[in-house]
Amino acid sequence: MPGSASNTCLGPWPKDVGIIAMELYFPSQYVDQAELEEFDGVAAGKYTVGLGQARMGFCSDREDINSLCLTVVQRLMERNSLSYDCIGRLEVGTETIIDKSKSVKTVLMQLFEDSGNTDVEGIDTTNACYGGTAALFNAVNWVESSSWDGRYALVVAGDIAVYATGSARPTGGAGAVAMLIGPNAALAFERGLRGTHMQHAYDFYKPDMVSEYPVVDGKLSVECYLSALDRCYSVYRNKIHAQWQREGSDKHFSLDDFDFLVFHSPYCKLVQKSVARLMLNDFLKHPSPDTEAGPFAGFDAFRDVKPEETYFDRDVEKAFMKASAQLFETKTKASLLLSSQNGNMYTPSVYGCLASLIAQHTASQLAGQRVGLFSYGSGFAATLYSLRVTQDHTPGSALDKLVSSLTDLRVRLDSRRKMSPAAFSEIMKLREETHHLASYVPRSSVEDLFPGTWYLTRVDDKHRREYARRALDDELPAEPELVRTASASEHIPSPVKKMPRMPTAVAGPVAGPGATSSN
């Protein structure tokens, strides 16, 4: 059973360490990208076709990084009927910094008070959109280490992505993902298969401590993202080849060996280009590609291209996007549901894409599959790694429960309120002017939040923040103390399948608009 030290060890490691459960949170309001195009006075299709974005979620002044993470953690614990004393490590990945010293993790410890559990390792990790992945690796490494005490690890990735008025603003978004980590997981990490690339660049960064807005070099950011993808794929491929050779196989690795591919998604069009990019890598590394038939037909002219010279080569991009279209449709497109409908969540982005993939497949379709994940954070840091889905998809299995818990994703997205671009613009202006203030009481309505959402009530004159939680409806216990106590060695019960729908109240007026970054 996940979390049990007594029966999960295989050699020196617990067996199949990975993701057991997931929970998502995104704001209850969004702006339509087609309407935003008109409001911003840009050409129709610039955001919807050029970026591949349909809607963008955003937060009012009632929400900050602490409230987002409080919401998603409590939601995961309630939906899986878990007690807080079964968590031994809590890691947070975020780049939404509201305090240069106090971690988000320490704020989350409020949820643990009634359980009496203060023996919880871990702290915040920050590097643009990569922080969530670093936190996840830390959690997995803890479970596989001599420090593990048999309890679960909990990883939280959360961010509010906002940009100053201009061309980058449509690539914003907001949300949080919580992941329960332990042995016998539905999604197990493939041990030894991580390809990482780290390099110094000023493609996207936040030097202004007073502003939520980043400094962005859009073209450089895309180049860094694609170059990191090239390097990580090369390292991953070398490592899996080495594994296969030790097993006596001389098989050549290609994209065909990934059943699904999931990417950090600054905007959906870049993900589609990334699939094409990996096909280019396969083509260039293939010892003797067939350019007469098959996916590489007619590609003789590209045989000697240098990858570092093709980041903005339209001929190469067009040819390989066309050649990889079917691969994108079958392996990646389903993962972009949340990204297209909510926008870039920064650290949770790649995990929102993973959840989207799971939400749109059955347990039997996912069983036994290899999922490749590419995580990128500007500055920059990147890793390509893989998860193996368990073969067991029987009713009540870990995989069945994970899939069931995410099947309502589209319903939840459709339950949000649509806000006008003018109202969105006013909210952005309000956040810009107030997010750093002391002695501040938020102005937006609490009733516009999803039931069960934590929200900011006030910031006192010493910048101390206070929070409350909007009541849940009757579908879930109203308070955490009503949740059944479970030891880490017990099976996680089937999650509640229905999420409370959003209230129908319409929000008051609020604010507008948006270089494209790959943070």
Side-chain angles (χ1 to χ4, degrees):
M1 165 52 217
S4 172
S6 61
N7 63 353
T8 56
C9 292
L10 178 64
W13 291 294
K15 182 183 177 184
D16 294 335
V17 175
I19 300 170
I20 297 169
M22 298 182 74
E23 183 59 49
L24 300 166
Y25 174 73
F26 43 82
S28 60
Q29 57 201 5
Y30 71 90
V31 62
D32 183 89
Q33 293 275 19
E35 294 180 4
L36 194 57
E37 289 170 344
E38 183 177 358
F39 181 81
D40 290 349
V42 302
K46 182 172 183 177
Y47 307 156
T48 53
V49 178
L51 298 177
Q53 300 301 118
R55 298 173 176 177
M56 179 170 58
F58 63 96
C59 295
S60 73
D61 64 335
R62 279 288 176 187
E63 296 189 273
D64 63 16
I65 185 58
N66 292 335
S67 69
L68 264 61
C69 293
L70 283 164
T71 299
V72 79
V73 168
Q74 187 158 9
R75 197 72 175 143
L76 180 138
M77 299 299 285
E78 288 175 339
R79 295 187 84 189
N80 291 283
S81 299
L82 289 167
S83 169
Y84 286 90
D85 58 11
C86 72
I87 303 298
R89 189 176 185 92
L90 171 58
E91 294 265 352
V92 177
T94 185
E95 64 170 273
T96 305
I97 308 300
I98 56 175
D99 190 289
K100 291 181 287 184
S101 177
K102 183 174 174 58
S103 67
V104 176
K105 186 266 181 73
T106 59
V107 176
L108 295 178
M109 290 307 297
Q110 294 175 88
L111 298 174
F112 289 72
E113 288 178 2
D114 288 345
S115 72
N117 178 21
T118 60
D119 179 19
V120 183
E121 295 185 10
I123 212 71
D124 292 8
T125 303
T126 300
N127 187 89
C129 298
Y130 189 81
T133 293
L136 179 59
F137 289 171
N138 288 344
V140 170
N141 292 345
W142 177 73
V143 174
E144 292 188 338
S145 77
S146 61
S147 298
W148 186 51
D149 62 6
R151 293 182 293 169
Y152 297 117
L154 184 58
V155 175
V156 187
D159 273 306
I160 299 173
V162 289
Y163 294 83
T165 302
S167 58
R169 180 159 276 188
T171 62
V177 174
M179 295 172 279
L180 191 70
I181 309 302
N184 293 340
L187 307 178
F189 277 72
E190 292 202 283
R191 196 169 290 130
L193 295 181
R194 296 183 195 170
T196 292
H197 179 65
M198 305 270 179
Q199 187 174 330
H200 167 60
Y202 279 114
D203 58 324
F204 170 111
Y205 51 108
K206 295 178 177 177
D208 187 347
M209 296 292 104
V210 177
S211 173
E212 286 192 292
Y213 301 143
V215 176
V216 184
D217 184 331
K219 185 175 182 180
L220 176 60
S221 191
V222 172
E223 180 178 327
C224 290
Y225 182 102
L226 295 177
S227 67
L229 180 61
D230 289 346
R231 297 290 291 272
C232 290
Y233 187 46
S234 177
V235 174
Y236 179 93
R237 188 169 45 211
N238 289 340
K239 288 185 177 180
I240 199 167
H241 282 161
Q243 280 195 6
W244 287 349
Q245 287 173 357
R246 288 193 295 271
E247 296 166 0
S249 171
D250 58 357
K251 182 181 176 182
H252 178 81
F253 184 88
S254 73
L255 293 183
D256 291 338
D257 294 296
F258 285 128
D259 299 292
F260 298 104
L261 280 162
V262 175
F263 299 80
H264 167 58
S265 178
Y267 52 95
C268 295
K269 186 63 73 172
L270 184 59
V271 171
Q272 189 172 359
K273 292 179 180 180
S274 296
V275 176
R277 188 79 192 172
L278 292 181
M279 178 174 273
L280 170 64
N281 276 266
D282 275 359
F283 172 69
L284 295 177
K285 290 293 184 180
H286 199 289
S288 54
D290 184 358
T291 56
E292 300 296 327
F296 300 142
F299 282 4
D300 288 303
F302 304 122
R303 190 60 179 151
D304 297 321
V305 300
K306 295 179 173 59
E308 64 274 14
E309 296 176 358
T310 62
Y311 301 128
F312 304 103
D313 187 318
R314 294 298 180 88
D315 292 335
V316 170
E317 181 182 286
K318 183 178 179 180
F320 282 89
M321 282 188 71
K322 181 178 180 180
S324 63
Q326 186 57 43
L327 187 152
F328 170 76
E329 287 285 330
T330 58
K331 296 180 186 283
T332 302
K333 187 175 181 180
S335 71
L336 295 178
L337 173 61
L338 186 57
S339 181
S340 67
Q341 296 296 314
N342 185 56
N344 184 7
M345 299 188 294
Y346 285 172
T347 52
S349 171
V350 66
Y351 302 105
C353 290
L354 176 61
S356 296
L357 178 73
I358 295 168
Q360 296 177 91
H361 289 85
T362 65
S364 61
Q365 290 171 330
L366 294 168
Q369 304 297 290
R370 171 183 282 138
V371 183
L373 297 95
F374 176 67
S375 178
Y376 175 85
S378 290
F380 59 93
T383 298
L384 176 67
Y385 66 98
S386 54
L387 301 172
R388 179 69 78 173
V389 184
T390 179
Q391 292 280 2
D392 183 5
H393 60 275
T394 56
S397 65
L399 179 59
D400 179 62
K401 291 174 183 177
L402 177 62
V403 171
S404 296
S405 73
L406 296 170
T407 52
D408 63 352
L409 178 56
R410 191 179 293 274
V411 171
R412 292 172 60 187
L413 287 166
D414 290 343
S415 72
R416 299 172 298 167
R417 284 172 300 118
K418 183 171 79 168
M419 304 288 285
S420 72
F424 163 68
S425 182
E426 286 300 318
I427 285 183
M428 291 297 99
K429 182 179 179 182
L430 179 63
R431 288 189 62 89
E432 181 179 329
E433 294 173 347
T434 64
H435 84 279
H436 61 288
L437 296 181
S439 303
Y440 178 68
V441 177
R443 306 171 196 172
S444 302
S445 172
V446 173
E447 294 305 309
D448 295 329
L449 301 172
F450 281 128
T453 299
W454 282 85
Y455 59 90
L456 180 67
T457 58
R458 66 187 287 261
V459 184
D460 72 12
D461 59 353
K462 293 185 178 181
H463 289 273
R464 294 175 296 193
R465 292 171 176 252
E466 298 176 8
Y467 301 88
R469 191 189 191 203
R470 189 178 174 209
L472 285 162
D473 65 9
D474 294 333
E475 293 180 7
L476 287 171
E479 298 297 337
E481 58 264 25
L482 297 180
V483 177
R484 176 181 65 84
T485 298
S487 71
S489 62
E490 291 180 297
H491 285 279
I492 299 176
S494 298
V496 177
K497 296 183 181 180
K498 291 178 66 180
M499 281 289 291
R501 291 185 65 86
M502 223 203 91
T504 56
V506 178
V510 197
T516 305
S517 83
S518 60
N519 178 26

